[in-house]
Amino acid sequence: MAAAVATSLEVAANAFEKSREKLVNAYIRQARSAWDALTPSDLWNDAVTYGVAARMAMLELSMLAQIRRLAISYADETLRQIGMNPSGSMPGFTYPRVNTDPWLVAQRPADSYRSAAVKSPNIRPIEWPSANDKTYAEVSKWINSLHTRLETVVNENVERMATSTTIGRYRRCKVLQYRRVLHPELSKGGSCGLCIVAADRWYSTMQLLPLHANCKCGVAPAGDDSDPGFQLNQKDLQNLYSEAGGNTADRLKSVRVQTITNGELGPVLLDSEARDTPNPVPDKDSQAWHTPDRKVLRSQYEAMKDRALEFSKRYKQVNDTHKSVTFTYDGRTYTFKPSKHLKNAWANQRTLLNQVQSLL
């Protein structure tokens, strides 16, 4: 009987992951295409990058809403496997980060490109160098930083959306505990040591699952009477230990973990020796994090609306004068410059403004 339940969970989890992966890959393709269409100069132009970010932020919100629906379906299937009848409504959609908003987060690939590029201030190409250009290798590192940040941010948001939605469904159906479910097949290097250790734990459904960057763990209901995730994890753990072999397997088993709160994402799984979360939120107290809710989402939409209204004036100013403008808004300095992509960026920003206003 236990084997049949584990097999059913595996089927449900795999179906969920495949559908989720399809959505994520489609979004990443669109985002990479949008960023890769820019020139090196465009990536230093806030008017252009925030235009791309505006478009990608709205597309990501749509994708996350689809992830949420998939997660509810997955949760309902796992509940039925332990003999429960899913019932009741779920709270409305929320963005999986606090202390920021989707537009600012969607801008981060460009921020990462700039952070990498400032280390070589003598290299500032106007167009992308060819493979035989002496700057090609260095500039490629900057582009890789953009792509890596894009994928990391999206995967973090999707993982948070999937797990928080599933756990929320369990909680509303009176499931008190859950466990993380390993998915070594979804990670390039397999499940990390942190997840392997944490796979033996039960968590209260009042707690959000601690994750790490690019974590691929899922969740399943757990309790004394029924624990389908345990069976699935045991199979994966045995395979992982067997593949690691000898001392390596022993090291995996001896990893110690801790949970630290990130100011945007909440609980993050770290090695016990780590002092803080990687890339903490600037100027934010990490303990100020709280579970995203509809009130937070509304404030995020308001922030994007206000920023878009301010940016509209600057887009018009650059478009009318054909001159750069530098201004400060909400504690950050922006520079909008003329570009062949300016009108398209402005159109993206107007679309975001219209969509956000319709949601408020």
Side-chain angles (χ1 to χ4, degrees), residues 291-304:
T291 304
D293 55 28
R294 295 290 288 180
K295 182 178 179 180
V296 170
L297 182 66
R298 183 175 181 82
S299 70
Q300 291 168 333
Y301 286 162
E302 291 281 2
M304 291 195 291

Side-chain angles (χ1 to χ4, degrees), residues 65 158 234 316 323 326 332:
V158 166
Q234 286 302 106
K316 186 176 187 306
K323 294 180 180 180
T326 297
R332 176 167 178 166

Side-chain angles (χ1 to χ4, degrees), residues 105-119:
V105 174
Q107 164 70 12
R108 289 178 183 171
D111 292 339
S112 290
Y113 173 91
R114 297 174 187 179
S115 295
V118 294
K119 298 174 184 177

Side-chain angles (χ1 to χ4, degrees), residues 67-346:
I67 296 292
R68 177 177 176 273
R69 289 192 288 271
L70 288 173
I72 293 172
S73 295
Y74 166 77
D76 287 353
E77 176 59 28
T78 58
L79 287 167
R80 283 189 285 268
Q81 289 177 20
I82 61 171
M84 297 190 67
N85 183 29
S87 60
S89 61
M90 285 284 287
F93 173 88
T94 59
Y95 184 63
R97 294 175 187 256
V98 298
N99 295 319
T100 188
D101 63 63
W103 192 5
L104 291 179
V105 174
Q107 164 70 12
R108 289 178 183 171
D111 292 339
S112 290
Y113 173 91
R114 297 174 187 179
S115 295
V118 294
K119 298 174 184 177
S120 302
N122 58 316
I123 304 177
R124 286 295 177 268
I126 302 301
E127 300 294 337
W128 297 115
S130 61
N132 57 1
D133 192 296
K134 64 180 180 180
T135 65
Y136 178 80
E138 181 61 27
V139 174
S140 294
K141 294 178 184 177
W142 309 348
I143 300 170
N144 288 338
S145 294
L146 183 155
H147 291 163
T148 298
R149 187 68 176 278
L150 165 66
E151 293 182 16
T152 298
V153 166
V154 171
N155 283 323
E156 286 177 336
N157 287 349
V158 166
E159 198 67 28
R160 289 290 177 189
M161 176 60 72
T163 58
S164 63
T165 300
T166 306
I167 296 164
R169 187 62 167 163
Y170 291 163
R171 183 166 60 248
R172 294 179 79 83
C173 292
K174 310 303 181 184
V175 173
L176 301 180
Q177 295 173 313
Y178 70 95
R179 73 162 68 247
R180 72 194 309 124
V181 177
L182 298 174
H183 284 291
E185 75 283 359
L186 298 178
S187 300
K188 293 178 181 178
S191 296
C192 75
L194 300 176
C195 294
I196 290 171
V197 172
D200 282 340
R201 298 181 178 182
W202 284 359
Y203 296 91
S204 165
T205 51
M206 298 303 294
Q207 301 172 305
L208 185 60
L209 183 72
L211 301 171
H212 58 80
N214 295 310
C215 187
K216 301 296 183 182
C217 287
V219 296
D224 292 329
D225 296 330
S226 182
D227 192 357
F230 176 78
Q231 305 295 334
L232 191 54
N233 278 349
Q234 286 302 106
K235 182 177 70 174
D236 282 329
L237 287 171
Q238 292 306 315
N239 289 339
L240 288 166
Y241 293 147
S242 176
E243 291 171 7
N247 294 334
T248 304
D250 291 338
R251 284 198 297 272
L252 287 175
K253 295 175 184 179
S254 65
V255 171
R256 296 293 178 267
V257 300
Q258 64 170 322
T259 298
I260 294 179
T261 302
N262 177 278
E264 284 185 6
L265 293 167
V268 176
L269 195 65
L270 292 175
D271 185 276
S272 61
E273 301 299 319
R275 293 176 178 268
D276 204 348
T277 53
N279 301 316
V281 182
D283 304 321
K284 298 288 185 183
D285 179 357
S286 65
Q287 298 307 311
W289 178 86
H290 58 89
T291 304
D293 55 28
R294 295 290 288 180
K295 182 178 179 180
V296 170
L297 182 66
R298 183 175 181 82
S299 70
Q300 291 168 333
Y301 286 162
E302 291 281 2
M304 291 195 291
K305 181 200 73 174
D306 292 344
R307 188 181 307 113
L309 290 171
E310 177 64 27
F311 281 13
S312 289
K313 303 173 189 175
R314 307 303 178 171
Y315 278 112
K316 186 176 187 306
Q317 185 177 352
V318 175
N319 185 66
D320 291 349
T321 65
H322 304 289
K323 294 180 180 180
S324 299
V325 58
T326 297
F327 61 98
T328 300
Y329 176 78
D330 198 25
R332 176 167 178 166
T333 300
Y334 301 88
T335 299
F336 280 24
K337 306 173 187 177
S339 167
K340 64 181 182 181
H341 293 121
L342 183 72
K343 289 187 177 180
N344 186 53
W346 191 4

